[in-house]
Amino acid sequence: MIISDQELSQNVVPATATRRKSWRDSVGVLSLKTPAISALFIWSIIPLLMTIWFSFRRYNLMAPDRTGFDGLGNYRYLLTDPSLALAIWNTVLLVGSVLAITIGLGTLLAVLFDQEFFGRGIARLLVLAPFFIMPTVSALVWKNMLMNPDNGFLAFTMRSVGLKPINWFGVAPLTAVIIIVAWQWLPFAVLTLLTAVQSLDGERKEAARMDGAGPIAMFRYIIWPHLGRAIAATTMIESIFFLAIFAEIYVTTSGGPGFASTNLSFLIYRYALMEYDVGGASVAGLVAIVLANILALFLMRSFARNLDA
Amino acid sequence: MATVQLKQVRKSYDGFEVIKGVDLTIRDQELTVFVGPSGCGKSTLLRLIAGLEEITSGDLLIDHQRANDVAPAKRGLAIVFQSYALYPHMNVADNMSFSLKLAGIPKPERDKKVMEAARILNLETFLDRKPKALSGGQRQRVAIGRAIVRDPKVFLFDEPLSNLDAALRVRMRLELTKLHRQLRATMIYVTHDQVEAMTMADRIVVLQAGIIEQVGSPMDLYRYPRNIFVAGFIGSPKMNFMEASIAQVLQGGSVVVALANGATLSVPAVDGMAGAGDKVTVGIRPEHISLASSDGISAQVQTVEHLGSESYLHLNIASGELLTVRINGETTVVPDQQVQLKMEPRSLHLFNKEGSTMRSLPTSTA
Ligand SMILES: Nc1ncnc2c1ncn2[C@@H]1O[C@H](COP(=O)(O)OP(=O)(O)O)[C@@H](O)[C@H]1O
Ligand SMILES: [Mg+2]
């Protein structure tokens, strides 16, 4: 079969065509864009500059008389504080675990909910329900009704099968927070991934079936690669929220015992509003920004390939 | 060697019958085309053969073995979809070798088969490209290549050319018939386009509303359509139909029919069931009507279409019916002109009230 590549070359737009825009056009467009860009710039850059400014100052609300430039004093204090390392580790653990649980379980549920089965509509509704509950409310429900070691539902179940109930917030506080956040965010992952699974072309699945793909090969070679983009997007969106988790910790463990369930955003809160150290809190805030950027870079790197697929 | 037999095959969706009892034999090495209007069940029939849909009742035999309950991948068939259904994250070579990989065939052998298919389809230089970097025609060929490497008993095509532009479609049509000769493979090809069916098929299966209307070679269907539906569906422009009644039954099996405008035509070789006074429909193809200088059926020209190599006249006959006449080359006829039409008796088709042909069919068409 001989077919020339003429059909292919017809699709290629000459690169020069796009360059022919005159400078007049660019100036006109720029002047229209300026208000939006400056508003965004002010919005994001001023808080950052203020944080950097405060991080170099002696600024404790409990000692209003001791102000002034402090050089790297705040930095020295915070970076040698063992709680910072712990908070960073907790943050990474929290973000990583919840991502793994929601994406992993979310993919599984998405593939399951794509199948026809009796009561699928109701099952879908139920799996989505946790997302509509406010974080504070769900944390309270988990704390008082599910994970309470005396009269919680989990304790009751464990006792009824003869096991010793776990004091979740005392023994495994971070795990408890991870479970609560994962429960809240699983619906989001299911929703985005189910949409992606359903957007898979039916004929493509049939072609794979004709090619001899069973359920496992179908998942591995057809569904999973197709989900790459959706998983990347879900991971990024979730990471942004998980880095800033606060309410769930505040309601359940208050970061304790000790610093066992304190993440960076809770550490900032502890500095700023429990110790009234604005300078220290600013440094912690900058650390959080750096961490977020490292995470973003890492995600971009690992998903960049998928995103242009 | 590969044959496919369908015996009283039926398919219903939620009690709604879509395939209504199909009996059909697909012969070895033939290119069989399923043709019919959109929604008539062509794709469903193909998918039943492929195993992508379950047969509600009846038997499917592939090489004389009952295959109703054989998994799609185990039937030894390959299907080329209208959307190509390529795997977007795999390059061309991986797309083609996917089935071999799943079957556990070692890499050297896989590569050999892919190269062989790529050579046949002229895809050698595209093997590491992803599908999105290919044109429509190239994607189409990859989809065909994916079928070829499996060396299937039967190739199944579901409207494979519908997504291509007209010029490329004509070219791919030729390429596919060439490929069929080259591979000496059994192929089933689904299309709604009767031109594709006529040009490509060894045998055509005309379907309507889940029923086979007629099976035969392209020229059999053209010459001896079994009923009005097939007569109207095969051939372009469409066959002309005129209401008429039988005026006289002659000896030797001919009849004389009277058209609504009073003109009479004699039709030879009609089966014995005709009786004087019966309402019938006379059919004649546009290419079998010619202009006479006198003594024909008179008609008034409405529009003239010039295509250069041929011209179409759209005419009104006195009864108000519209006829199309095809004329070779150019014509000097102009709209509103009165003309006389001559119809070859041998080219006339006669259909009874139920729409079945009243002319005796040659026995070879079955
Ligand atoms: N999965 C399905 N569920 C219900 N009805 C279907 C399904 N697939 C096809 N049909 C119906 O079967 C009929 C034939 O469809 P199809 O075989 O796709 O026609 P076509 O001849 O255009 O390929 C149509 O009326 C269509 O609505
Ligand atoms: Mg179809």
Side-chain angles (χ1 to χ4, degrees):
Chain A
M1 300 180 101
I2 297 173
I3 289 173
S4 72
D5 293 309
Q6 184 188 328
E7 329 143 31
L8 190 68
S9 56
Q10 280 168 358
N11 298 335
V12 180
V13 181
T16 47
T18 50
R19 277 197 215 129
R20 233 171 259 146
K21 251 201 257 166
S22 76
W23 61 273
R24 256 171 223 281
D25 290 345
S26 336
V27 170
V29 171
L30 194 66
S31 68
L32 289 175
K33 283 197 262 182
T34 307
I37 292 176
S38 14
L40 261 177
F41 187 76
I42 292 167
W43 180 318
S44 63
I45 230 66
I46 287 189
L48 179 66
L49 290 179
M50 281 175 70
T51 309
I52 294 175
W53 168 248
F54 286 135
S55 74
F56 290 109
R57 294 190 63 86
R58 198 171 284 138
Y59 187 178
N60 192 314
L61 299 176
M62 294 301 279
D65 49 324
R66 293 182 59 225
T67 59
F69 190 66
D70 191 26
L72 293 175
N74 285 326
Y75 286 85
R76 205 173 300 122
Y77 175 67
L78 189 84
L79 295 176
T80 51
D81 185 349
S83 60
L84 177 72
L86 190 59
I88 292 177
W89 175 238
N90 284 344
T91 306
V92 171
L93 217 57
L94 183 61
V95 173
S97 314
V98 181
L99 276 179
I101 296 171
T102 52
I103 302 284
L105 222 53
T107 308
L108 191 73
L109 287 177
V111 173
L112 281 180
F113 283 149
D114 187 44
Q115 320 288 320
E116 285 288 345
F117 61 83
F118 179 75
R120 180 169 75 165
I122 291 179
R124 276 186 188 172
L125 194 68
L126 286 179
V127 86
L128 293 186
F131 204 50
F132 299 108
I133 300 172
M134 279 178 276
T136 25
V137 175
S138 72
L140 280 170
V141 168
W142 276 91
K143 183 185 181 186
N144 297 323
M145 296 173 72
L146 293 171
M147 287 176 162
N148 187 300
D150 300 320
N151 47 23
F153 180 72
L154 293 181
F156 166 77
T157 338
M158 293 194 79
R159 259 197 298 272
S160 58
V161 296
L163 294 171
K164 208 166 107 45
I166 301 170
N167 177 8
W168 285 98
F169 299 108
V171 182
L174 193 63
T175 313
V177 173
I178 288 171
I179 292 173
I180 295 171
V181 178
W183 179 80
Q184 277 172 28
W185 280 86
L186 183 61
F188 177 74
V190 172
L191 201 63
T192 52
L193 295 176
L194 180 60
T195 314
V197 170
Q198 287 179 331
S199 74
L200 181 57
D201 175 31
E203 286 195 344
R204 195 186 303 162
K205 277 197 271 187
E206 287 176 345
R209 243 177 100 196
M210 293 295 290
D211 274 348
I216 293 172
M218 181 74 81
F219 180 78
R220 166 135 192 257
Y221 295 110
I222 307 296
I223 297 175
W224 179 254
H226 176 76
L227 288 182
R229 217 185 261 247
I231 287 180
T234 312
T235 305
M236 285 188 199
I237 294 169
E238 288 194 346
S239 304
I240 293 167
F241 285 95
F242 295 167
L243 276 171
I245 283 171
F246 178 81
E248 291 84 346
I249 297 174
Y250 183 80
V251 169
T252 54
T253 64
S254 291
F259 282 82
S261 58
T262 296
N263 66 351
L264 268 176
S265 55
F266 204 79
L267 186 73
I268 295 169
Y269 166 78
R270 285 179 103 155
Y271 271 112
L273 292 163
M274 289 162 92
E275 296 172 24
Y276 303 105
D277 181 0
V278 177
S282 298
V283 178
L286 291 176
V287 171
I289 290 170
V290 171
L291 189 73
N293 277 289
I294 292 173
L295 191 81
L297 205 70
F298 173 73
L299 289 175
M300 291 298 218
R301 274 279 167 81
S302 44
F303 287 124
R305 273 169 294 128
N306 282 326
L307 283 181
D308 65 8
Chain B
M1 277 299 287
T3 62
V4 177
Q5 271 171 286
L6 300 162
K7 291 185 177 168
Q8 273 304 304
V9 167
R10 292 170 185 275
K11 172 70 185 173
S12 336
Y13 291 108
D14 306 323
F16 179 74
E17 198 158 64
V18 174
I19 300 294
K20 299 166 185 165
V22 164
D23 283 299
L24 179 67
T25 302
I26 311 283
R27 296 185 199 146
D28 185 39
Q29 298 191 5
E30 277 194 349
L31 198 160
T32 304
V33 173
F34 294 173
V35 68
S38 185
C40 70
K42 310 176 293 285
S43 298
T44 305
L45 197 55
L46 195 76
R47 294 163 59 82
L48 290 174
I49 295 171
L52 294 170
E53 303 281 350
E54 222 167 292
I55 294 171
T56 308
S57 76
D59 292 319
L60 167 71
L61 279 68
I62 299 174
D63 279 343
H64 310 293
Q65 302 289 318
R66 190 168 185 275
N68 288 41
D69 306 317
V70 179
K74 298 264 157 52
R75 294 190 185 189
L77 316 175
I79 188 163
V80 175
F81 292 96
Q82 177 176 352
S83 70
Y84 318 140
L86 300 180
Y87 312 127
H89 48 278
M90 298 183 198
N91 65 23
V92 169
D94 291 342
N95 258 284
M96 292 207 265
S97 65
F98 185 58
S99 60
L100 305 176
K101 181 174 163 182
L102 291 177
I105 290 168
K107 180 132 177 58
E109 197 175 327
R110 277 179 354 222
D111 290 347
K112 211 180 100 218
K113 290 203 168 171
V114 168
M115 282 313 294
E116 172 66 18
R119 193 185 54 73
I120 295 172
L121 298 167
N122 208 34
L123 281 171
E124 287 119 315
T125 48
F126 303 107
L127 285 177
D128 358 296
R129 286 218 200 155
K130 292 274 175 68
K132 74 172 171 185
L134 300 176
S135 68
Q138 290 164 341
R139 285 179 204 182
Q140 181 65 75
R141 280 182 286 152
V142 176
I144 296 169
R146 204 163 59 177
I148 290 178
V149 294
R150 293 183 53 196
D151 197 12
K153 288 181 190 158
V154 184
F155 286 82
L156 310 175
F157 295 91
D158 192 355
E159 311 228 6
L161 306 186
S162 322
N163 288 355
L164 303 176
D165 65 57
L168 193 55
R169 198 151 58 212
V170 172
R171 209 159 50 170
M172 285 301 290
R173 209 161 74 196
L174 295 172
E175 300 296 346
L176 276 173
T177 25
K178 203 171 110 198
L179 185 74
H180 173 240
R181 273 204 313 277
Q182 203 175 343
L183 299 173
R184 288 202 209 88
T186 310
M187 294 184 172
I188 304 177
Y189 185 102
V190 163
T191 179
H192 64 268
D193 179 358
Q194 63 91 22
V195 176
E196 263 175 41
M198 290 297 281
T199 50
M200 298 176 70
D202 292 318
R203 284 206 313 156
I204 297 179
V205 177
V206 182
L207 288 158
Q208 192 203 190
I211 290 171
I212 294 186
E213 294 285 1
Q214 193 170 355
V215 180
S217 72
M219 287 320 285
D220 275 349
L221 297 195
Y222 177 81
R223 290 198 194 109
Y224 313 111
R226 185 165 281 170
N227 54 38
I228 287 196
F229 176 79
V230 177
F233 194 79
I234 299 288
S236 168
K238 212 167 138 11
M239 185 187 280
N240 297 299
F241 294 111
M242 296 166 281
E243 295 307 320
S245 58
I246 293 182
Q248 201 182 349
V249 181
L250 302 176
Q251 260 165 9
S254 308
V255 295
V256 175
V257 296
L259 298 182
N261 65 354
T264 57
L265 294 163
S266 100
V267 185
V270 169
D271 63 27
M273 306 298 284
D278 288 357
K279 292 262 173 254
V280 293
T281 303
V282 177
I284 184 157
R285 296 194 183 278
E287 51 272 39
H288 296 147
I289 306 178
S290 51
L291 298 186
S293 43
S294 64
D295 216 20
I297 298 167
S298 57
Q300 187 179 28
V301 178
Q302 292 241 307
T303 45
V304 183
E305 294 176 317
H306 299 280
L307 276 76
S309 62
E310 57 195 22
S311 311
Y312 299 131
L313 310 181
H314 299 279
L315 318 142
N316 250 340
I317 52 175
S319 60
E321 282 160 317
L322 203 63
L323 294 189
T324 304
V325 175
R326 176 176 173 277
I327 293 176
N328 262 327
E330 292 161 44
T331 178
T332 53
V333 173
V334 292
D336 293 332
Q337 190 177 333
Q338 287 289 335
V339 292
Q340 302 289 311
L341 303 178
K342 198 158 136 267
M343 302 182 184
E344 267 300 316
R346 274 186 306 115
S347 306
L348 288 172
H349 298 260
L350 201 60
F351 303 98
N352 64 19
K353 270 209 311 284
E354 288 76 41
S356 303
T357 186
M358 296 173 74
R359 286 187 56 180
S360 328
L361 299 176
T363 43
S364 73
T365 53

